[in-house]
Amino acid sequence: MAHAQEIQLQIRGIPNDESIHDVGRDGPKSAALWSTRGSFRWWMTVVMDMFMVICGATVATLLGRLYYNSGGNSKWMATLTQSVGAPLLVVPLLMAPAHSAVEPRPAASKMWAIYAGIGVLIGFDNLMYSYALQYLPVSTFSLVAATQLGFNAITSRLLNAQRFTALIFNSVVLLTFSAAMLGVGSSDDDTSSSLPRGKYATGFVLVLAASAAFALILSLVEATFEKVIRARTLRWVLTVQMYTNLVASVVSVVGLLASGDWRTIPGEMASFKDGRVRYVLTLVGAAVTWQATAVGAVRLIARVSSLFANVTFTLALPAVPVFAVVLFGDKMTGIKAVALLMAVWGFLSYIYQHYIDGRRAGKTDCRVCATRAGSDVMLPG
């Protein structure tokens, strides 16, 4: 079977997995995509991207909490760290393979409009997350942020023609109830004394709004790859990530200057716990880990779907609250424990749905490739 598929690809001249061209979610993507999807190499790449997202999201969230707990107070500075690491992507971008001659090249004006629109959304989404992270214990923040998976199910259905199955519906319900339980139990949350009093409800609403915006951003990025770029190379992944985050950084810098927060930065550095060096290292570490998270997420969007990328974010849920309890003294209440279990249950529903879809697609593609390989190779005469 593998040999027949290889001959078929050579005859038809279809590009390899790193230059995949789409014709829509429900139509055939390309023989190259389907012949490698589910292979050992494909899964190794996906697992690496998942590892980047999980580790990056966990460390970046904890560093954001550390910034506030150690004396940081500028929400615009915390927002800026989530996108300011974009110039670091220039190095891997220079090393990435060049665009192939067969790749479609969308109009530059259209791409700049997309970069600007998505970048502005990212900037304000980062700001809402920064406020929410200051107002909520990190364990609560992480669990409420799981609602982005439910929001993503809706945006994926509307923008990316994602099927809304019973398993996905089950996940949406579970994650919604998980977040609702945390809201009901807010009065009993007597964790980290450094958190602003009376801001729990505000933080709860902000993280819900940020989760909805984040889900929309992921679906818009997937739609960009699907309908505009129509190529899924590493160079395009890095390009989209870099330019959208540069726009988000401009939004953050404008906010930092307009709000006057820039005047407080020297004082923050001087009063930061353990000194200026730790202040700089905390912000730099957050900037680097956020970029690693974002690159892994965009690669998963391009290679699989925005829904799968969002599922991967939920894998950080069990890790963040545990580390938050150890590092920041957050209290893992009974309500949080039940909410965590419900969130994990919802995550497993998504994974199982993806597993079912993958098996069905693999069986269908094997039959199609076998038929086409036989007709292409066994030519008369």
Side-chain angles (χ1 to χ4, degrees):
M1 176 67 69
H3 180 66
Q5 292 172 343
E6 182 179 352
I7 294 175
Q8 179 200 9
L9 296 183
Q10 291 173 351
I11 292 174
R12 292 184 178 272
I14 297 176
N16 61 25
D17 183 44
E18 289 303 320
S19 59
I20 298 165
H21 304 292
D22 272 338
V23 295
R25 173 173 295 279
D26 296 323
K29 299 222 171 180
S30 80
L33 173 60
W34 293 118
S35 64
T36 57
R37 189 181 182 93
S39 67
F40 179 77
R41 179 187 174 191
W42 185 86
W43 271 113
M44 285 298 294
T45 306
V46 169
V47 169
M48 287 174 59
D49 294 336
M50 292 176 68
F51 183 79
M52 288 177 62
V53 172
I54 295 167
C55 293
T58 301
V59 175
T61 302
L62 293 173
L63 286 174
R65 179 72 260 166
L66 179 64
Y67 168 74
Y68 288 129
N69 282 6
S70 300
N73 193 50
S74 173
K75 300 171 190 66
W76 280 110
M77 177 58 73
T79 301
L80 183 60
T81 60
Q82 297 177 55
S83 58
V84 75
L88 296 174
L89 300 179
V90 171
V91 176
L93 187 58
L94 292 175
M95 299 171 61
H99 294 297
S100 68
V102 297
E103 284 184 22
R105 302 299 295 270
S109 58
K110 181 182 292 187
M111 291 308 304
W112 280 113
I114 291 173
Y115 296 150
I118 295 178
V120 170
L121 278 175
I122 291 174
F124 284 102
D125 184 57
N126 291 344
L127 179 63
M128 287 189 289
Y129 271 127
S130 297
Y131 270 95
L133 191 57
Q134 186 182 29
Y135 293 162
L136 294 175
V138 69
S139 53
T140 304
F141 170 88
S142 300
L143 289 171
V144 179
T147 56
Q148 68 191 29
L149 199 56
F151 289 121
N152 198 197
I154 299 172
T155 58
S156 293
R157 174 61 179 171
L158 296 176
L159 299 179
N160 312 125
Q162 179 73 46
R163 289 188 304 114
F164 199 78
T165 65
L167 286 172
I168 293 177
F169 179 77
N170 178 60
S171 281
V172 172
V173 172
L174 287 172
L175 290 166
T176 301
F177 275 107
S178 174
M181 288 180 64
L182 292 172
V184 171
S186 63
S187 59
D188 298 326
D189 198 342
D190 56 355
T191 59
S192 304
S193 59
S194 61
L195 296 173
R197 296 296 179 182
K199 295 291 187 178
Y200 194 105
T202 302
F204 189 84
V205 172
L206 283 173
V207 74
L208 280 177
S211 298
F214 181 75
L216 176 61
I217 290 167
L218 292 184
S219 290
L220 288 175
V221 171
E222 182 177 358
T224 299
F225 280 104
E226 189 90 13
K227 301 175 182 179
V228 181
I229 298 175
R230 299 178 67 82
R232 306 190 178 199
T233 62
L234 176 60
R235 176 170 287 274
W236 271 118
V237 167
L238 295 173
T239 300
V240 170
Q241 172 62 23
M242 185 175 71
Y243 285 120
T244 54
N245 273 251
L246 285 175
V247 173
S249 297
V250 171
V251 172
S252 301
V253 170
V254 171
L256 183 66
L257 296 176
S259 65
D261 274 12
W262 62 274
R263 298 188 184 94
T264 66
I265 294 175
E268 272 192 7
M269 294 181 66
S271 61
F272 200 75
K273 185 178 179 181
D274 294 335
R276 298 172 182 268
V277 174
R278 186 178 181 184
Y279 179 86
V280 174
L281 290 177
T282 300
L283 294 181
V284 170
V288 172
T289 49
W290 276 124
Q291 285 306 302
T293 304
V295 170
V298 176
R299 279 177 60 87
L300 286 175
I301 292 172
R303 188 172 292 276
V304 190
S305 68
S306 63
L307 194 61
F308 190 87
N310 218 333
V311 166
T312 305
F313 273 104
T314 66
L315 278 173
L317 287 175
V320 175
V322 170
F323 282 109
V325 170
V326 175
L327 298 176
F328 304 129
D330 282 10
K331 182 180 178 181
M332 184 57 72
T333 64
I335 289 179
K336 286 183 182 179
V338 174
L340 175 61
L341 291 175
M342 293 178 71
V344 172
W345 185 2
F347 154 73
L348 291 176
S349 293
Y350 266 102
I351 288 294
Y352 186 61
Q353 180 63 62
H354 183 75
Y355 169 76
I356 293 174
D357 291 343
R359 283 181 62 88
R360 288 174 179 170
K363 290 179 180 178
T364 301
D365 297 326
C366 282
R367 290 195 297 267
V368 171
C369 287
T371 302
R372 290 181 178 176
S375 63
D376 287 341
V377 176
M378 300 178 63
L379 298 176

